[in-house]
Amino acid sequence: MNSNQTIRNRTAPPKDITPPELMPAALAHEVPSWAEAAATPDQVTDWPDRMSRALVPFQLDHRGWPVNPGGSTGRTGRNLGKWGENPAADPIVVAGHGPDRQVLLITRSDIGLEAIPGGMVDASETAPAALVRELREETGVDLTDHTPVILGQDLVDDWRNSDEAWVSSTSALYQLDATVPAAGADDALDARWYPFSSLDALNDAVNAAGRTLYAAHRPLLQRALDYLSK
């Protein structure tokens, strides 16, 4: 046996992260309102349409199963609503200017971390509509009349990602002259404004509040800072 074979044999198999409610037997009995009925990717019938609409292009493997465009995650199965890409919308709301800038973050109820407000784009919903809806639902802030700057469409290192199901997000920047009242609701335990002159300043302020910044959102926040510094 050569060294490469030894390494492969020692590699642990992917961990199945599918929760009980998404197991085939459970789906046959009841499908959660937030999930599709397909117990396995081969039961999905609209892969060409999903691939054509994907925020981040992806391919299917020899079985016809979706392949995470970010590479192997070490996890298999599905802990998200859909197989393949799950589109999300992340509104980054910034108030003020220069060293006095602040950013609006929520405390996520699922992982207890400070994060950008946002969530999944509903079926037949556009990303701009989802940005407004998620922000309003989670913070009470209604920016319907504001036009954001779309910063990007990216694969997000979400804790629920697997090799066959993952999150890609449309991130957008909303700029306000001053902070507005915000309160956590829906999937948010809390909502508050933090200093946002730099990512380090934000991280320090979050830590000083006894909380932790969601690592998967750091690249999105840095992109907003880069845009603001132009």
Side-chain angles (χ1 to χ4, degrees):
M1 182 181 296
N2 62 38
S3 59
N4 289 336
Q5 288 174 316
T6 301
I7 292 173
R8 284 197 297 269
N9 289 343
R10 289 178 179 175
T11 301
K15 177 184 178 182
D16 192 332
I17 62 171
T18 307
E21 63 268 27
L22 294 183
M23 288 294 184
L27 288 173
H29 176 67
E30 180 181 8
V31 179
S33 61
W34 51 270
E36 66 178 348
T40 54
D42 52 89
Q43 295 178 10
V44 174
T45 60
D46 64 341
W47 281 123
D49 182 53
R50 294 189 190 193
M51 294 172 71
S52 69
R53 292 185 288 107
L55 301 179
V56 179
F58 67 93
Q59 303 296 321
L60 304 179
D61 67 12
H62 65 282
R63 301 168 297 174
W65 286 32
V67 178
N68 190 316
S72 176
T73 64
R75 299 181 295 274
T76 190
R78 172 168 68 109
N79 192 13
L80 288 161
K82 297 166 52 178
W83 293 104
E85 182 179 272
N86 289 256
D90 289 306
I92 303 172
V93 183
V94 175
H97 306 277
D100 297 323
R101 281 195 304 255
Q102 297 185 64
V103 66
L104 181 61
L105 299 182
I106 63 165
T107 305
R108 286 178 51 154
S109 61
D110 55 356
I111 51 178
L113 301 178
E114 301 299 277
I116 301 165
M120 297 302 172
V121 178
D122 291 339
S124 302
E125 183 181 40
T126 65
L131 288 163
V132 171
R133 175 183 57 78
E134 285 288 346
L135 181 64
R136 183 175 58 245
E137 289 178 352
E138 295 188 342
T139 70
V141 176
D142 190 345
L143 296 183
T144 304
D145 296 332
H146 289 67
T147 301
V149 175
I150 303 301
L151 296 174
Q153 296 176 321
D154 307 278
L155 185 69
V156 177
D157 188 19
D158 191 275
W159 64 278
R160 296 161 294 183
N161 286 356
S162 73
D163 290 351
E164 302 87 20
W166 57 90
V167 177
S168 295
S169 173
T170 297
S171 57
L173 173 64
Y174 289 87
Q175 294 178 263
L176 308 179
D177 289 331
T179 60
V180 296
D186 193 38
D187 295 330
L189 299 176
D190 189 18
R192 64 170 66 183
W193 295 92
Y194 288 98
F196 195 49
S197 59
S198 69
L199 200 58
D200 285 341
L202 172 61
N203 193 66
D204 289 346
V206 169
N207 290 343
R211 303 184 181 187
T212 302
L213 186 62
Y214 185 33
H217 282 176
R218 294 175 70 95
L220 304 183
L221 291 163
Q222 184 59 60
R223 180 177 291 172
L225 284 165
D226 292 342
Y227 177 88
L228 291 166
S229 66
K230 291 180 180 179

